[in-house]
Amino acid sequence: MKEIITEALAKSINYSDYRKLVSDLLEEGKSTGPNQSEALLNYSKLNDKRMKRLDKTVKLTESTKEIAASLEIPQTWLVLTEGWCGDAAQNIPVLNKIAEENKNISLQLVLRDEHPELMDAFLTNGGKAIPKMIVLDASKNVIDTWGPRPSTATQMVLDYKKEHGGLDAEFKKDLQVWYNKNKGENVQEDVVEILKK
């Protein structure tokens, strides 16, 4: 496992480089990942706009700032993502804001489809759901994981699947509305719980 993590970290990029990668690919009419389609391209365009907006509008609570700033032992947050993923676009800007509060937190991103072994080691209910954050200590030991969604959104997904058998376009729209109303607060709550451990 440590070998897979070390290899992924060696190829990881920071948040600003990730944002540039997604934007540069869009200028070429592409999304991240080996599969290219009109749908993935359209999702990527929408997500690029979402991330731009969230980079400007996400506000951390005083409690989040305080707890993030108090971390004394270095951590790396290695996140599996793709530019076309709606959950990633809603959550990674919040993770970035939290990481910016403390030089001991290093946010590093890798593309899911370029790191299948890493993704396979951190599946969610058997699926390759992203974003998936792997919290590592200085020795690259896994302390915790988070994702692909904040806890409230995860419960919404479970409840909807139980009632309807799966997720449809209507639910996905409702989920984006929830993200917009929540403004990253649930992500902050979840990450604060990890930081307190």
Side-chain angles (χ1 to χ4, degrees), residues 71-76 102-106 136-139 143:
L71 183 73
E72 293 177 5
I73 300 162
Q75 287 184 359
T76 299
N102 192 324
K103 65 181 183 345
N104 284 322
I105 304 170
S106 172
L136 304 165
D137 67 15
S139 302
I143 302 169

Side-chain angles (χ1 to χ4, degrees), residues 15-164:
Y15 181 70
S16 59
D17 288 344
Y18 172 70
R19 295 286 294 108
K20 185 177 183 323
L21 172 68
V22 172
S23 297
D24 289 352
L25 284 169
L26 285 174
E27 283 182 24
E28 296 173 31
K30 294 178 182 174
S31 65
T32 62
N35 302 321
Q36 297 294 319
S37 70
E38 196 65 34
L40 290 178
L41 181 61
N42 288 335
Y43 290 138
S44 293
K45 286 177 184 171
L46 181 63
N47 290 335
D48 190 50
K49 288 178 185 153
R50 274 184 186 135
M51 289 189 286
K52 275 183 189 151
R53 185 188 78 240
L54 289 165
D55 286 341
K56 291 176 190 160
T57 61
V58 167
K59 299 273 185 276
L60 298 182
T61 65
E62 287 309 311
S63 170
T64 300
K65 287 181 184 178
E66 195 179 301
I67 289 160
S70 70
L71 183 73
E72 293 177 5
I73 300 162
Q75 287 184 359
T76 299
W77 295 355
L78 179 60
V79 181
L80 288 145
T81 185
E82 290 286 349
W84 43 258
C85 176
D87 289 305
Q90 293 283 10
N91 294 311
I92 293 176
V94 185
L95 297 175
N96 180 58
K97 290 276 188 201
I98 299 169
E100 286 178 338
E101 289 294 313
N102 192 324
K103 65 181 183 345
N104 284 322
I105 304 170
S106 172
L107 176 65
Q108 297 298 122
L109 300 114
V110 291
L111 297 178
R112 179 192 77 174
D113 294 340
E114 290 179 7
H115 297 273
E117 286 183 327
L118 183 67
M119 185 71 257
D120 287 345
F122 294 95
L123 300 176
T124 302
N125 300 322
K128 298 180 180 189
I130 52 174
K132 189 69 170 193
M133 179 170 82
I134 305 155
V135 182
L136 304 165
D137 67 15
S139 302
K140 300 184 184 100
N141 296 306
V142 178
I143 302 169
D144 212 329
T145 63
W146 177 90
R149 296 177 189 95
S151 52
T152 301
T154 297
Q155 193 58 53
M156 287 167 63
V157 168
L158 294 172
D159 293 345
Y160 198 87
K161 279 184 176 176
K162 191 174 179 182
E163 190 177 335
H164 301 275

